[in-house]
């Protein structure tokens, strides 16, 4: 009797201990989720800058949190303020099973202790009603997440196949999955996703957009001194834009890619973006491949957002735009000048390096770099004058391949004889304009290409190694275009 009483006592103690642990873990799970959402909103604010109305353009909120002993039900909403379309709300309903050993996690073979096991689903809002209705009672998006201790976790987002029709448009989506892993107190994350296809048809215009085999990869890391590093890449095997009324003018892009890398410390952003198109075909014309890379350094996002916000507000007072015929008041001009001065204070740099266009006959490329600086002692009274004073350096390089240009020009015709005539015309145009540019000293011949290298610095322009004043450079440019 005493032995059974002792066993019962142990069971009771273990039961009470587990209940206490479950209650504590449930409380910690709520705190962790609330902190993670606050952190996400802070990152969005830092990236997008303050909105003109004082409300973030994107914000994630907890609308309802019903915490019970073993589980909780939570409602989240992503609010997007779109000036053109109005507010957009995307809402998820989440059922959390508290740790340390959630039953659903045990059922799926996960025996590691965790804060909570989450099962969330998209619910209908005005913005998502048609998408939800396409599932006939189901949810188009299911999210399963293991919320671990120490700010770690894994999440799987499952997008269901969908057919959505409305407003004369038909959207077909294959569905797909996105897998995420979190660590370092949810500051670090990796994501991978794949979607087989989607298609958008507009019955009214006949326009159609198709994409096949979409893949996304993303990494986010929190570095020292509150730095945030991001690497993202998305690829599409084939993208086709067509119109049923003019199918011979369809644009087909193969092996499309976009990649983004950024590092942000406070409001200062260093970022680069790369676009790649492995093959571009317009109708029967093969334009070859195109790649473009751009970057920015030392860009103050807060200063840029303030300048854009005040510019838009002042433009709205003048009928939506600011031109020579719209005279600004002294206060308006002074405000915009001060906003631009704040932007120049971080010595930002913007570049396109390079733009490369290739076809079977060769390649052409161009690059542009603009370095700005804080004039400090500038006495400019307008934005335009201040911008000129803030120009530290402008560098432009160009190489235009003659064989590539001729082939691209000739592809406008499919008939062999007409194609030859177009190629001859292309060669004549190339020789004519390159000759005029060469005579003005603006380009030089480098093999089968026309090349130009220009550098503006300290009120002087260096063109292909020859220094000249700005008025002299402009005179040479006008001699070509006139």
């Amino acid at each position: 009797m005493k032995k059974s009483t002792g066993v019962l006592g142990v069971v009771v103690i273990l039961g009470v201990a587990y209940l206490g642990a479950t209650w504590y873990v449930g409380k910690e799970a709520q705190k962790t989720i609330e902190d993670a959402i606050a952190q996400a909103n802070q990152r969005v604010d830092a990236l997008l800058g303050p909105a003109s109305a004082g409300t973030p353009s994107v914000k994630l909120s907890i609308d309802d949190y019903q915490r019970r002993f073993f589980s909780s039900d939570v409602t989240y909403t992503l609010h997007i303020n779109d000036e053109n379309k109005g507010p957009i709300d995307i809402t998820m309903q989440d059922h959390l099973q508290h740790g340390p050993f959630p039953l659903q996690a045990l059922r799926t073979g996960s025996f590691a202790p965790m804060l909570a096991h989450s099962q969330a689903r998209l619910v209908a809002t005005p913005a998502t009603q048609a998408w939800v209705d396409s599932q006939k009672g189901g949810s188009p998006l299911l999210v399963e997440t293991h919320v671990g201790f120490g700010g770690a976790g894994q999440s799987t987002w499952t997008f269901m196949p969908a057919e959505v029709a409305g407003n004369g448009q038909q959207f077909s989506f294959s569905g797909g999955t996105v897998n995420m892993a979190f660590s370092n107190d949810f500051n670090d994350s990796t994501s991978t996703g794949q979607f087989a296809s989607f298609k958008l048809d507009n019955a009214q215009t006949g326009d159609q957009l198709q994409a096949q085999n979409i893949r996304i990869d993303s990494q986010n890391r929190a570095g020292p001194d509150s730095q945030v590093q991001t690497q993202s890449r998305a690829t599409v095997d084939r993208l086709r834009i067509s119109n049923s009324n003019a199918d011979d003018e369809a644009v087909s892009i193969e092996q499309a890619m976009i990649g983004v890398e950024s590092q942000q410390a406070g409001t200062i952003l260093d970022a680069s973006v790369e676009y790649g198109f492995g093959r571009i075909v317009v109708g029967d014309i093969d334009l070859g491949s195109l790649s473009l890379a751009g970057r920015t350094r030392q860009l103050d996002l807060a200063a840029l957002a303030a300048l854009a916000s005040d510019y838009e507000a002042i433009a709205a007072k003048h009928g939506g735009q600011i031109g020579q015929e719209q005279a600004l008041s002294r206060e308006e001009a002074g405000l915009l000048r001060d906003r631009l001065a704040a932007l120049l204070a971080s010595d930002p740099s913007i570049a396109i390096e390079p733009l490369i266009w290739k076809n079977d006959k060769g390649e052409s490329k161009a690059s542009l770099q603009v370095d700005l600086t804080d004039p400090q002692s500038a006495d400019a009274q307008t934005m335009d004058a201040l911008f000129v004073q803030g120009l530290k350096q402008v560098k432009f390089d160009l190489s235009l391949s003659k064989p590539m240009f001729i082939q691209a020009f000739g592809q406008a015709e499919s008939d062999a004889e007409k194609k030859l005539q177009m190629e001859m015309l292309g060669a004549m145009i190339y020789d004519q304009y390159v000759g005029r540019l060469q005579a003005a000293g603006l380009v030089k011949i480098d093999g089968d290409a026309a090349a130009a290298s220009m550098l503006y610095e300290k009120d002087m322009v260096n063109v292909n190694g020859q220094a000249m004043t700005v008025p002299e450079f402009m005179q040479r440019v006008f001699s070509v275009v006139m």
Side-chain angles (χ1 to χ4, degrees):
M1 184 70 176
K2 292 182 179 180
K3 184 176 181 180
S4 62
T5 302
V7 171
L8 179 61
V10 171
V11 171
V12 170
I13 292 172
L14 290 176
V16 171
Y18 185 79
L19 289 175
T22 300
W23 173 83
Y24 175 78
V25 169
K27 182 179 179 181
E28 286 299 302
Q30 180 175 356
K31 181 178 183 301
T32 298
I33 290 171
E34 290 173 345
D35 289 346
I37 288 180
Q39 177 179 283
N41 286 328
Q42 289 174 359
R43 286 190 175 182
V44 170
D45 288 346
L47 179 63
L48 301 180
S52 58
T55 304
S57 58
V58 178
K59 183 179 180 180
L60 183 61
S61 67
I62 298 178
D63 301 329
D64 186 44
Y65 203 117
Q66 297 292 331
R67 181 162 61 88
R68 294 179 292 275
F69 211 96
F70 293 103
S71 65
S72 297
D73 289 305
V74 192
T75 302
Y76 314 93
T77 297
L78 179 66
H79 306 275
I80 303 173
N81 294 327
D82 190 310
E83 294 183 357
N84 298 320
K85 298 180 180 179
I88 299 173
D89 292 337
I90 301 173
T91 298
M92 302 286 292
Q93 286 184 349
D94 189 7
H95 179 69
L96 288 171
Q97 290 186 353
H98 300 160
F101 299 102
L103 180 60
Q104 186 60 36
L106 296 176
R107 287 174 176 170
T108 58
S110 179
F111 300 103
M114 63 183 68
L115 279 173
H117 177 270
S118 163
Q119 292 179 306
R121 63 200 308 269
L122 183 76
V123 296
T125 63
T128 61
Q129 185 69 60
W131 191 18
V132 173
D133 289 345
S134 71
Q135 300 303 302
K136 303 185 185 308
S139 176
L141 172 60
L142 301 175
V143 183
E144 183 173 5
T145 305
H146 293 176
V147 184
F149 293 96
Q154 301 85 36
S155 185
T156 299
W157 295 52
T158 303
F159 295 82
M160 300 301 178
E163 296 283 341
V164 181
N167 298 324
Q169 294 185 337
Q170 176 75 33
F171 179 74
S172 302
F173 176 50
S174 66
T177 58
V178 176
N179 295 302
M180 303 180 186
F182 305 95
S183 60
N184 188 23
D185 198 21
F186 299 105
N187 286 298
D188 299 346
S189 66
T190 60
S191 305
T192 60
Q194 186 164 1
F195 309 92
S197 66
F198 78 80
K199 182 171 69 172
L200 179 63
D201 288 291
N202 190 316
Q204 298 175 349
T205 64
D207 293 333
Q208 184 181 87
L209 173 65
Q210 295 176 303
Q212 296 177 351
N213 199 11
I214 306 157
R215 297 178 299 277
I216 57 174
D217 295 279
S218 178
Q219 294 184 353
N220 295 276
R221 295 287 182 268
D225 300 325
S226 301
Q227 292 184 355
V228 178
Q229 300 175 351
T230 301
Q231 292 181 322
S232 300
R233 180 183 176 92
T235 61
V236 182
D237 280 358
R238 188 168 185 262
L239 184 66
R240 190 173 189 271
I241 305 170
S242 62
N243 187 287
S244 58
N245 300 319
D247 195 55
D248 57 340
E249 298 179 2
V251 177
S252 180
I253 301 173
E254 299 176 3
Q255 302 303 318
M257 180 277 295
I258 177 173
V260 178
E261 293 188 15
S262 69
Q263 179 173 297
Q264 184 175 344
T267 63
I268 302 300
L269 175 70
D270 292 345
S272 61
V273 59
E274 179 183 4
Y275 298 92
F277 306 99
R279 183 168 177 253
I280 304 174
V281 179
V282 180
D284 296 328
I285 302 175
D286 188 345
L287 297 179
S289 66
L290 183 69
S291 64
L292 170 65
R295 66 165 177 82
T296 181
R297 296 288 183 268
Q298 290 295 114
L299 180 63
D300 190 331
L301 293 177
L304 178 62
L307 173 60
S309 175
D310 288 334
Y311 184 90
E312 291 177 359
I314 293 173
K317 291 172 58 178
H318 292 270
Q321 61 181 353
I322 300 176
Q324 292 182 351
E325 59 276 4
Q326 287 86 23
L328 301 181
S329 68
R330 178 179 298 180
E331 291 76 13
E332 291 171 337
L335 176 60
L336 292 180
R337 180 203 174 282
D338 292 344
R339 292 303 193 201
L340 178 59
L343 180 63
L344 296 176
S346 62
D347 297 336
S349 173
I350 302 172
I352 298 174
E353 49 178 16
L355 166 66
I356 302 176
W357 180 13
K358 296 181 181 180
N359 63 19
D360 294 338
K361 297 298 183 179
E363 74 172 37
S364 297
K365 56 185 178 180
S367 63
L368 173 67
Q369 178 176 325
V370 179
D371 295 333
L372 302 170
T373 189
D374 183 1
Q376 295 185 1
S377 60
D379 56 358
Q381 298 299 313
T382 65
M383 279 187 65
D384 294 342
L386 180 62
F387 181 80
V388 172
Q389 291 185 356
L391 276 177
K392 180 180 180 181
Q393 178 178 282
V394 180
K395 191 173 186 297
F396 174 73
D397 291 288
L398 172 69
S399 176
L400 181 61
S401 166
K402 182 176 181 178
M404 191 218 79
F405 180 84
I406 293 174
Q407 185 191 49
F409 208 87
Q411 285 184 319
E413 294 289 348
S414 57
D415 179 78
E417 183 176 350
K418 292 182 178 179
K419 181 178 180 179
L420 179 59
Q421 293 176 354
M422 291 298 296
E423 289 178 347
M424 293 174 61
L425 178 60
M428 182 180 69
I429 293 175
Y430 181 95
D431 290 339
Q432 178 182 356
Y433 281 95
V434 168
R436 295 174 65 177
L437 289 167
Q438 185 180 19
L442 298 178
V443 302
K444 60 182 181 180
I445 303 302
D446 183 11
D448 60 1
S453 178
M454 303 179 188
L455 174 66
Y456 167 82
E457 191 174 25
K458 297 179 179 179
D459 294 327
M460 293 293 292
V461 182
N462 188 298
V463 182
N464 301 322
Q466 182 180 358
M468 63 188 72
T469 64
V470 174
E472 182 182 355
F473 171 73
M474 296 305 299
Q475 184 179 11
R476 295 189 183 205
V477 173
F478 286 135
S479 69
V480 175
V481 299
M482 296 298 290

